[in-house]
Coordinates of all heavy atoms in Angstrom, one line a residue:
M1 N 63.7 -32.0 -20.0 CA 63.1 -33.4 -19.6 C 61.9 -33.3 -18.8 O 61.5 -32.3 -18.3 CB 64.2 -34.1 -18.8 CG 65.4 -34.6 -19.5 SD 66.4 -35.7 -18.4 CE 67.6 -36.0 -19.5
K2 N 61.0 -34.4 -19.0 CA 59.7 -34.3 -18.3 C 59.7 -35.2 -17.1 O 60.0 -36.4 -17.3 CB 58.7 -34.8 -19.3 CG 58.6 -34.0 -20.7 CD 58.1 -32.7 -20.4 CE 58.0 -32.0 -21.8 NZ 57.5 -30.7 -21.7
Y3 N 59.5 -34.7 -16.0 CA 59.4 -35.5 -14.7 C 58.0 -35.5 -14.3 O 57.2 -34.5 -14.4 CB 60.4 -35.0 -13.7 CG 61.9 -35.3 -14.2 CD1 62.7 -34.4 -14.7 CD2 62.4 -36.7 -14.0 CE1 64.1 -34.6 -15.0 CE2 63.6 -36.9 -14.3 CZ 64.4 -36.0 -14.8 OH 65.7 -36.3 -15.2
S4 N 57.7 -36.5 -13.5 CA 56.5 -36.6 -12.8 C 56.2 -35.8 -11.6 O 57.3 -35.7 -10.8 CB 56.1 -38.1 -12.5 OG 56.2 -38.9 -13.5
I5 N 55.1 -35.3 -11.3 CA 54.8 -34.6 -10.1 C 53.5 -35.1 -9.6 O 52.4 -35.1 -10.4 CB 54.7 -33.1 -10.2 CG1 56.1 -32.5 -10.5 CG2 54.2 -32.4 -8.9 CD1 56.0 -31.0 -10.9
L6 N 53.4 -35.8 -8.5 CA 52.2 -36.4 -8.0 C 51.7 -35.6 -6.8 O 52.4 -35.4 -5.8 CB 52.5 -37.8 -7.5 CG 51.3 -38.5 -6.8 CD1 50.1 -38.7 -7.7 CD2 51.7 -39.9 -6.3
I7 N 50.5 -34.9 -6.9 CA 49.9 -34.2 -5.9 C 48.7 -34.8 -5.2 O 47.8 -35.3 -5.9 CB 49.6 -32.9 -6.4 CG1 50.8 -32.1 -6.9 CG2 48.9 -31.9 -5.3 CD1 50.5 -30.8 -7.7
Q8 N 48.8 -35.1 -3.8 CA 47.7 -35.7 -3.2 C 47.4 -34.9 -1.9 O 48.3 -34.3 -1.3 CB 48.2 -37.1 -2.7 CG 48.5 -38.0 -3.9 CD 49.0 -39.3 -3.4 OE1 50.1 -39.4 -2.9 NE2 48.4 -40.4 -3.7
W9 N 46.1 -34.9 -1.5 CA 45.7 -34.3 -0.3 C 46.1 -35.2 0.8 O 45.9 -36.4 0.9 CB 44.1 -34.1 -0.3 CG 43.7 -33.5 1.0 CD1 43.0 -34.2 2.0 CD2 43.8 -32.1 1.4 NE1 42.7 -33.4 2.9 CE2 43.3 -32.1 2.7 CE3 44.5 -31.1 1.0 CZ2 43.2 -30.9 3.5 CZ3 44.4 -29.9 1.8 CH2 43.8 -29.9 2.9
S10 N 46.6 -34.6 2.0 CA 46.9 -35.3 3.2 C 46.0 -34.9 4.3 O 46.0 -33.8 4.7 CB 48.4 -35.0 3.7 OG 48.6 -35.5 4.8
E11 N 45.1 -35.8 4.6 CA 44.1 -35.4 5.7 C 44.9 -35.3 7.1 O 44.5 -34.4 7.8 CB 43.1 -36.6 5.9 CG 42.1 -36.8 4.8 CD 41.1 -35.7 4.9 OE1 41.0 -35.0 6.0 OE2 40.5 -35.4 3.8
T12 N 45.9 -36.0 7.3 CA 46.7 -35.9 8.4 C 47.4 -34.5 8.7 O 47.3 -34.0 9.7 CB 47.8 -36.9 8.4 OG1 47.3 -38.2 8.3 CG2 48.7 -37.0 9.8
D13 N 47.9 -34.0 7.6 CA 48.6 -32.7 7.7 C 47.8 -31.6 7.3 O 48.1 -30.4 7.5 CB 49.9 -32.8 6.7 CG 50.8 -33.9 7.1 OD1 51.1 -34.0 8.3 OD2 51.3 -34.6 6.2
G14 N 46.6 -31.8 6.5 CA 45.8 -30.8 6.1 C 46.4 -29.8 5.0 O 46.2 -28.7 4.9
V15 N 47.2 -30.4 4.3 CA 47.9 -29.8 3.1 C 47.8 -30.8 1.8 O 47.8 -31.9 2.0 CB 49.3 -29.4 3.4 CG1 49.3 -28.3 4.5 CG2 50.2 -30.5 3.8
Y16 N 48.2 -30.1 0.7 CA 48.5 -30.9 -0.5 C 49.9 -31.4 -0.4 O 50.9 -30.5 -0.3 CB 48.2 -30.2 -1.7 CG 46.7 -30.0 -2.0 CD1 46.1 -28.9 -1.5 CD2 46.0 -31.0 -2.7 CE1 44.7 -28.8 -1.8 CE2 44.6 -30.8 -2.8 CZ 44.1 -29.8 -2.4 OH 42.7 -29.6 -2.7
V17 N 50.3 -32.6 -0.6 CA 51.7 -33.1 -0.7 C 52.0 -33.4 -2.1 O 51.4 -34.1 -2.8 CB 51.9 -34.4 0.2 CG1 53.3 -34.9 0.0 CG2 51.5 -34.0 1.6
A18 N 53.2 -32.8 -2.6 CA 53.6 -33.0 -4.0 C 54.9 -33.9 -3.9 O 55.8 -33.6 -3.2 CB 53.9 -31.7 -4.5
S19 N 54.8 -35.1 -4.6 CA 56.0 -36.0 -4.6 C 56.6 -35.9 -6.0 O 55.9 -35.9 -6.9 CB 55.5 -37.3 -4.3 OG 54.8 -37.4 -3.1
L20 N 57.9 -36.2 -6.1 CA 58.6 -36.3 -7.3 C 59.1 -37.7 -7.4 O 60.3 -38.0 -7.0 CB 59.9 -35.2 -7.3 CG 59.3 -33.7 -7.1 CD1 60.5 -32.9 -6.8 CD2 58.6 -33.3 -8.3
P21 N 58.4 -38.6 -7.9 CA 58.8 -40.0 -7.9 C 60.0 -40.5 -8.4 O 60.7 -41.3 -7.9 CB 57.5 -40.7 -8.7 CG 56.6 -39.6 -8.8 CD 57.1 -38.4 -8.6
E22 N 60.4 -39.9 -9.5 CA 61.8 -40.3 -10.1 C 63.0 -40.0 -9.1 O 64.0 -40.6 -9.3 CB 62.0 -39.6 -11.4 CG 61.1 -40.1 -12.5 CD 59.8 -39.3 -12.7 OE1 59.5 -38.6 -11.8 OE2 59.2 -39.4 -13.8
W23 N 62.8 -39.1 -8.3 CA 63.8 -38.6 -7.4 C 64.0 -39.3 -6.0 O 64.8 -38.9 -5.2 CB 63.8 -37.1 -7.2 CG 63.8 -36.5 -8.6 CD1 62.8 -36.2 -9.5 CD2 65.0 -36.0 -9.3 NE1 63.3 -35.6 -10.6 CE2 64.6 -35.4 -10.5 CE3 66.4 -35.9 -9.0 CZ2 65.5 -35.0 -11.4 CZ3 67.2 -35.4 -9.8 CH2 66.8 -34.8 -11.1
G24 N 63.1 -40.2 -5.8 CA 63.2 -41.0 -4.5 C 62.1 -40.6 -3.5 O 61.4 -39.6 -3.7
K25 N 61.9 -41.4 -2.5 CA 60.8 -41.2 -1.6 C 60.9 -39.9 -0.7 O 59.8 -39.5 -0.1 CB 60.6 -42.5 -0.7 CG 61.8 -42.6 0.3 CD 61.4 -43.9 1.0 CE 62.6 -44.3 2.0 NZ 62.3 -45.5 2.8
Y26 N 62.0 -39.3 -0.7 CA 62.1 -38.1 0.2 C 62.0 -36.8 -0.6 O 62.1 -35.7 0.0 CB 63.4 -38.2 1.0 CG 63.5 -39.3 1.9 CD1 64.3 -40.4 1.7 CD2 62.6 -39.4 3.0 CE1 64.5 -41.5 2.5 CE2 62.7 -40.5 3.9 CZ 63.6 -41.5 3.6 OH 63.6 -42.6 4.5
A27 N 61.8 -36.9 -2.0 CA 61.7 -35.8 -2.8 C 60.2 -35.3 -2.7 O 59.4 -35.7 -3.5 CB 62.1 -36.0 -4.1
R28 N 59.9 -34.5 -1.8 CA 58.5 -34.0 -1.5 C 58.5 -32.6 -1.1 O 59.5 -32.1 -0.5 CB 57.9 -34.9 -0.4 CG 57.6 -36.3 -0.8 CD 56.9 -37.0 0.3 NE 56.7 -38.4 -0.1 CZ 56.1 -39.3 0.7 NH1 55.7 -38.9 1.9 NH2 55.8 -40.5 0.3
T29 N 57.4 -32.0 -1.2 CA 57.1 -30.6 -0.7 C 55.6 -30.6 -0.5 O 54.9 -31.6 -0.6 CB 57.7 -29.6 -1.7 OG1 57.5 -28.3 -1.0 CG2 56.9 -29.6 -3.0
H30 N 55.1 -29.5 -0.1 CA 53.7 -29.3 0.1 C 53.2 -27.9 -0.1 O 54.0 -27.0 -0.2 CB 53.4 -29.7 1.6 CG 53.9 -28.8 2.6 ND1 55.3 -28.8 3.1 CD2 53.4 -27.8 3.3 CE1 55.5 -27.9 3.9 NE2 54.4 -27.2 4.0
G31 N 51.9 -27.7 0.0 CA 51.3 -26.4 -0.2 C 50.0 -26.5 0.5 O 49.3 -27.5 0.5
E32 N 49.4 -25.3 0.8 CA 48.1 -25.2 1.4 C 47.0 -25.3 0.3 O 45.9 -25.7 0.6 CB 47.9 -23.9 2.1 CG 48.8 -23.9 3.5 CD 48.4 -22.6 4.2 OE1 47.4 -22.0 4.0 OE2 49.3 -22.3 5.1
T33 N 47.5 -24.9 -0.9 CA 46.6 -25.2 -2.1 C 47.3 -26.1 -3.1 O 48.5 -26.3 -3.0 CB 46.2 -23.8 -2.8 OG1 47.5 -23.3 -3.4 CG2 45.7 -22.8 -1.8
Y34 N 46.5 -26.6 -4.0 CA 47.0 -27.5 -5.1 C 48.0 -26.7 -5.9 O 49.1 -27.2 -6.2 CB 45.8 -27.9 -6.0 CG 46.3 -28.9 -7.0 CD1 46.2 -30.3 -6.8 CD2 46.7 -28.5 -8.3 CE1 46.5 -31.2 -7.8 CE2 47.1 -29.4 -9.2 CZ 47.0 -30.8 -9.0 OH 47.3 -31.7 -9.9
E35 N 47.7 -25.5 -6.2 CA 48.6 -24.6 -7.0 C 49.8 -24.4 -6.3 O 50.9 -24.3 -6.9 CB 47.8 -23.3 -7.5 CG 46.7 -23.6 -8.4 CD 45.4 -24.0 -7.7 OE1 45.3 -24.1 -6.5 OE2 44.5 -24.4 -8.4
Q36 N 49.8 -24.1 -5.0 CA 51.0 -23.8 -4.2 C 51.9 -25.0 -4.2 O 53.1 -24.9 -4.3 CB 50.5 -23.3 -2.8 CG 51.8 -22.9 -2.0 CD 51.4 -22.5 -0.6 OE1 50.6 -23.2 0.1 NE2 51.8 -21.3 -0.2
A37 N 51.3 -26.2 -4.0 CA 52.0 -27.5 -3.9 C 52.8 -27.7 -5.3 O 54.0 -28.1 -5.4 CB 51.1 -28.7 -3.5
L38 N 52.1 -27.3 -6.4 CA 52.6 -27.5 -7.7 C 53.8 -26.6 -8.0 O 54.9 -27.0 -8.4 CB 51.5 -27.4 -8.8 CG 52.0 -27.4 -10.2 CD1 52.7 -28.8 -10.5 CD2 50.9 -27.1 -11.2
E39 N 53.7 -25.3 -7.6 CA 54.8 -24.4 -7.6 C 56.0 -24.8 -6.8 O 57.1 -24.7 -7.2 CB 54.2 -23.0 -7.3 CG 53.3 -22.4 -8.4 CD 54.0 -22.3 -9.8 OE1 55.1 -21.9 -9.9 OE2 53.2 -22.8 -10.8
N40 N 55.7 -25.3 -5.6 CA 56.8 -25.7 -4.7 C 57.5 -26.8 -5.3 O 58.7 -27.0 -5.2 CB 56.2 -26.1 -3.4 CG 55.8 -24.8 -2.6 OD1 56.1 -23.7 -3.0 ND2 54.9 -24.9 -1.5
A41 N 56.7 -27.8 -6.0 CA 57.4 -29.0 -6.6 C 58.2 -28.6 -7.7 O 59.3 -29.1 -7.9 CB 56.2 -29.9 -7.0
K42 N 57.8 -27.6 -8.5 CA 58.6 -27.1 -9.7 C 59.9 -26.5 -9.2 O 61.0 -26.7 -9.7 CB 57.8 -26.1 -10.4 CG 56.7 -26.6 -11.2 CD 56.0 -25.4 -11.9 CE 54.8 -25.9 -12.7 NZ 54.1 -24.8 -13.3
E43 N 59.8 -25.9 -8.0 CA 61.0 -25.2 -7.5 C 62.0 -26.3 -7.0 O 63.2 -26.3 -7.2 CB 60.8 -24.3 -6.3 CG 60.1 -23.0 -6.8 CD 59.7 -22.0 -5.6 OE1 60.2 -22.3 -4.5 OE2 59.0 -21.2 -5.9
V44 N 61.5 -27.3 -6.2 CA 62.3 -28.4 -5.8 C 62.9 -29.3 -6.9 O 64.1 -29.5 -7.0 CB 61.5 -29.4 -4.9 CG1 62.3 -30.7 -4.7 CG2 61.0 -28.7 -3.7
L45 N 62.1 -29.4 -8.0 CA 62.6 -30.0 -9.2 C 63.8 -29.3 -9.8 O 64.8 -29.9 -10.2 CB 61.5 -30.2 -10.2 CG 61.8 -31.0 -11.5 CD1 62.5 -32.4 -11.2 CD2 60.6 -31.1 -12.4
E46 N 63.6 -28.1 -10.0 CA 64.8 -27.1 -10.5 C 66.0 -27.2 -9.6 O 67.1 -27.4 -10.1 CB 64.2 -25.8 -10.6 CG 63.3 -25.4 -11.8 CD 62.8 -24.0 -11.7 OE1 63.3 -23.2 -10.9 OE2 61.8 -23.7 -12.5
D47 N 65.8 -27.2 -8.4 CA 66.9 -27.4 -7.4 C 67.6 -28.8 -7.5 O 68.9 -28.9 -7.5 CB 66.5 -27.2 -6.0 CG 66.1 -25.7 -5.7 OD1 66.5 -24.8 -6.5 OD2 65.5 -25.5 -4.6
L48 N 66.9 -29.8 -7.6 CA 67.4 -31.2 -7.7 C 68.2 -31.2 -9.1 O 69.3 -31.8 -9.1 CB 66.3 -32.2 -7.8 CG 65.6 -32.5 -6.5 CD1 64.3 -33.3 -6.6 CD2 66.7 -33.3 -5.5
I49 N 67.7 -30.8 -10.1 CA 68.4 -30.9 -11.5 C 69.6 -30.1 -11.4 O 70.7 -30.6 -11.8 CB 67.6 -30.4 -12.6 CG1 66.3 -31.3 -12.8 CG2 68.2 -30.2 -13.9 CD1 65.3 -30.9 -13.8
Y50 N 69.6 -28.9 -10.8 CA 70.7 -28.1 -10.7 C 71.8 -28.8 -9.9 O 73.0 -28.8 -10.3 CB 70.4 -26.7 -10.1 CG 71.6 -25.8 -9.9 CD1 72.1 -25.1 -10.9 CD2 72.1 -25.7 -8.6 CE1 73.2 -24.3 -10.7 CE2 73.3 -24.9 -8.4 CZ 73.8 -24.1 -9.5 OH 74.8 -23.3 -9.2
G51 N 71.5 -29.3 -8.7 CA 72.3 -30.0 -7.9 C 73.0 -31.2 -8.5 O 74.2 -31.3 -8.4
Y52 N 72.3 -32.0 -9.2 CA 72.8 -33.1 -9.9 C 73.8 -32.6 -11.0 O 74.8 -33.3 -11.1 CB 71.7 -34.0 -10.5 CG 71.0 -35.0 -9.6 CD1 70.5 -34.6 -8.4 CD2 71.0 -36.3 -10.0 CE1 69.9 -35.6 -7.6 CE2 70.3 -37.2 -9.1 CZ 69.8 -37.0 -8.0 OH 69.3 -37.9 -7.2
E53 N 73.3 -31.7 -11.7 CA 74.4 -31.2 -12.8 C 75.6 -30.6 -12.3 O 76.7 -30.9 -12.7 CB 73.6 -30.1 -13.7 CG 72.5 -30.8 -14.5 CD 71.6 -29.8 -15.3 OE1 71.6 -28.5 -15.0 OE2 71.0 -30.1 -16.2
Q54 N 75.4 -29.9 -11.1 CA 76.7 -29.3 -10.5 C 77.7 -30.3 -10.0 O 78.9 -30.2 -10.0 CB 76.3 -28.3 -9.4 CG 75.6 -27.1 -9.8 CD 76.4 -26.3 -10.8 OE1 77.5 -25.9 -10.4 NE2 75.9 -26.0 -12.0
T55 N 77.2 -31.5 -9.5 CA 78.0 -32.6 -9.0 C 78.3 -33.6 -10.1 O 79.1 -34.6 -9.8 CB 77.3 -33.2 -7.8 OG1 76.1 -33.8 -8.2 CG2 77.0 -32.3 -6.6
G56 N 77.7 -33.5 -11.2 CA 78.1 -34.5 -12.3 C 77.4 -35.8 -12.1 O 77.6 -36.8 -12.8
K57 N 76.3 -35.9 -11.3 CA 75.6 -36.9 -11.1 C 74.6 -37.1 -12.2 O 74.0 -36.1 -12.5 CB 74.7 -36.9 -9.7 CG 74.2 -38.1 -9.3 CD 73.7 -37.9 -7.7 CE 73.1 -39.2 -7.3 NZ 72.6 -39.0 -5.8
P58 N 74.4 -38.2 -12.8 CA 73.4 -38.5 -13.8 C 72.0 -38.3 -13.4 O 71.6 -38.7 -12.2 CB 73.6 -40.0 -14.2 CG 74.3 -40.7 -13.1 CD 75.0 -39.6 -12.4
L59 N 71.1 -37.7 -14.1 CA 69.8 -37.4 -13.8 C 69.0 -38.7 -13.9 O 69.3 -39.5 -14.8 CB 69.2 -36.3 -14.7 CG 69.8 -35.0 -14.7 CD1 69.2 -34.1 -15.8 CD2 69.6 -34.3 -13.3
P60 N 67.9 -39.0 -13.1 CA 67.1 -40.1 -13.2 C 66.3 -40.0 -14.6 O 66.1 -38.9 -15.1 CB 66.2 -40.1 -12.0 CG 66.3 -38.7 -11.5 CD 67.5 -38.1 -11.9
E61 N 66.0 -41.1 -15.1 CA 65.2 -41.3 -16.2 C 63.8 -40.8 -16.0 O 63.2 -41.3 -14.9 CB 65.2 -42.7 -16.9 CG 66.4 -43.1 -17.5 CD 66.8 -42.3 -18.8 OE1 65.8 -42.0 -19.5 OE2 67.9 -41.8 -19.0
P62 N 63.1 -40.0 -16.7 CA 61.7 -39.6 -16.6 C 60.9 -40.8 -16.8 O 61.1 -41.5 -17.7 CB 61.5 -38.5 -17.5 CG 62.8 -38.0 -18.0 CD 63.8 -39.1 -17.8
R63 N 59.9 -40.9 -16.0 CA 58.8 -42.0 -16.3 C 57.9 -41.4 -17.3 O 57.4 -40.3 -17.2 CB 58.1 -42.4 -15.0 CG 59.0 -43.0 -14.0 CD 58.2 -43.3 -12.7 NE 59.0 -43.8 -11.7 CZ 58.7 -44.0 -10.5 NH1 57.4 -43.8 -10.1 NH2 59.6 -44.4 -9.5
T64 N 57.5 -42.2 -18.3 CA 56.6 -41.7 -19.3 C 55.4 -42.7 -19.3 O 55.4 -43.8 -19.0 CB 57.2 -41.8 -20.7 OG1 57.7 -43.0 -21.0 CG2 58.4 -40.8 -20.8
L65 N 54.2 -42.0 -19.7 CA 53.0 -42.8 -19.8 C 52.7 -43.0 -21.3 O 52.7 -42.2 -22.2 CB 51.9 -41.8 -19.3 CG 50.4 -42.4 -19.3 CD1 50.3 -43.6 -18.5 CD2 49.5 -41.3 -18.8
Q66 N 52.5 -44.3 -21.6 CA 52.3 -44.7 -22.9 C 50.7 -45.0 -23.0 O 50.1 -45.9 -22.4 CB 53.0 -46.0 -23.3 CG 54.5 -45.9 -23.1 CD 55.0 -44.8 -24.2 OE1 54.6 -44.8 -25.2 NE2 56.1 -44.1 -23.8
V67 N 50.0 -44.2 -23.8 CA 48.6 -44.4 -23.9 C 48.3 -44.9 -25.3 O 48.9 -44.3 -26.4 CB 47.9 -43.0 -23.8 CG1 46.4 -43.2 -24.0 CG2 48.2 -42.5 -22.4
A68 N 47.6 -45.9 -25.5 CA 47.4 -46.6 -26.7 C 46.2 -46.0 -27.4 O 45.3 -45.5 -26.9 CB 47.2 -48.1 -26.6

């Protein structure tokens, strides 16, 4: 499945913040570099999917971008 990862610079924290929108407002991680934030987000995503599957909870629907 394809899930969204949104990476933004946080002036307040001085780090890149990676959010996983389909998983709720608290599904976030960060990194000192863009690449580190992306890798951390991938790990969090894997953990979320694993946790949901282990508990039998349905996975959220991925958001898709429709480009005409």
Side-chain angles (χ1 to χ4, degrees):
M1 291 194 176
K2 306 287 183 184
Y3 287 103
S4 304
I5 298 174
L6 174 63
I7 301 175
Q8 298 173 297
W9 176 252
S10 171
E11 285 292 336
T12 304
D13 301 314
V15 296
Y16 288 92
V17 176
S19 305
L20 303 165
E22 290 94 340
W23 300 87
K25 65 181 180 178
Y26 298 111
R28 293 183 176 178
T29 188
H30 67 279
E32 291 186 20
T33 66
Y34 185 94
E35 292 78 13
Q36 186 181 46
L38 178 58
E39 288 306 311
N40 291 342
K42 288 178 184 179
E43 288 177 16
V44 169
L45 181 57
E46 288 175 7
D47 289 344
L48 285 166
I49 291 171
Y50 178 79
Y52 273 55
E53 289 175 341
Q54 292 300 304
T55 60
K57 193 172 179 180
L59 298 173
E61 284 294 317
R63 295 180 187 171
T64 58
L65 178 63
Q66 301 296 325
V67 180

